[in-house]
Amino acid sequence: MPKEDSPLDHQDVPPTPETPSPPHTPADGPLPEKPAPHRPGSAQQTFWKVFFVVVLAAVIGSLVWLAIWLNSNADSSSAKDIPGVLETVATAPATPLPLPRTNVNPGDYALGDCFKDFDPEALKSTVVACNTSHSAQLVAVFRYPEKESYPGAEVLKAKALEACQATKLGPAADKYTLNYERSYPSTTSWESGDRRVDCYVTAPGGNVIKASVLP
């Protein structure tokens, strides 16, 4: 069986006089150096250094933000200043009948056209009647002048966004979940004569639209 610990018996033991510790001698090593007294000026200097770093970081951040803001406004203003023609009103039928028409080139898309299984990056598309199932419709076109030089991708994106914002949709658009998609020329297509920026409404659910979303 395990034994239980019991407290030791306290016996009366006469106290032993403490032996004084020997004095500290040089043989034991040098005396420890006393810490230098705290100087209030050090705390103030540290505070001002931190304050200066914070202010400098804030100034640099403000300059970076200002540069980004000016650059974005420059792109936007340059997009607005470029001459061209914006089309947002379609004439029916947009694409010549009969429909559907397959293998239609993007350069031949007409404002108001509706597309089945639409892919904005496809080289060919199928144009269908807007009262049949489709997944996209061309709702705005901006055309640049023929002699205009390539303005750059960012300016083209901004112009496509302006075209989408200028579009007025009809009551049928409220019946569907729709997104805007933009299409604009690359440097290669621009050199081949492509001068149009397109804005589409697309349905993420596929060919679920069965009416024109334009007025």
Side-chain angles (χ1 to χ4, degrees), residues 73-100:
N73 277 272
D75 289 344
S76 178
S77 61
S78 59
K80 293 180 180 179
D81 294 341
I82 292 177
V85 178
L86 176 63
E87 302 173 13
T88 58
V89 179
T91 57
T95 293
L97 299 176
L99 295 176

Side-chain angles (χ1 to χ4, degrees), residues 6-7 19-20 26 39 48 69-70 73-74 85 105 111 120 145-146 150 163 177-178 187 199:
S6 58
T19 303
R39 293 178 295 176
W48 285 113
W69 181 81
L70 290 175
N73 277 272
V85 178
N105 295 314
L111 182 64
E146 289 295 328
Y150 187 71
T177 299
L178 301 174
T187 53
C199 175

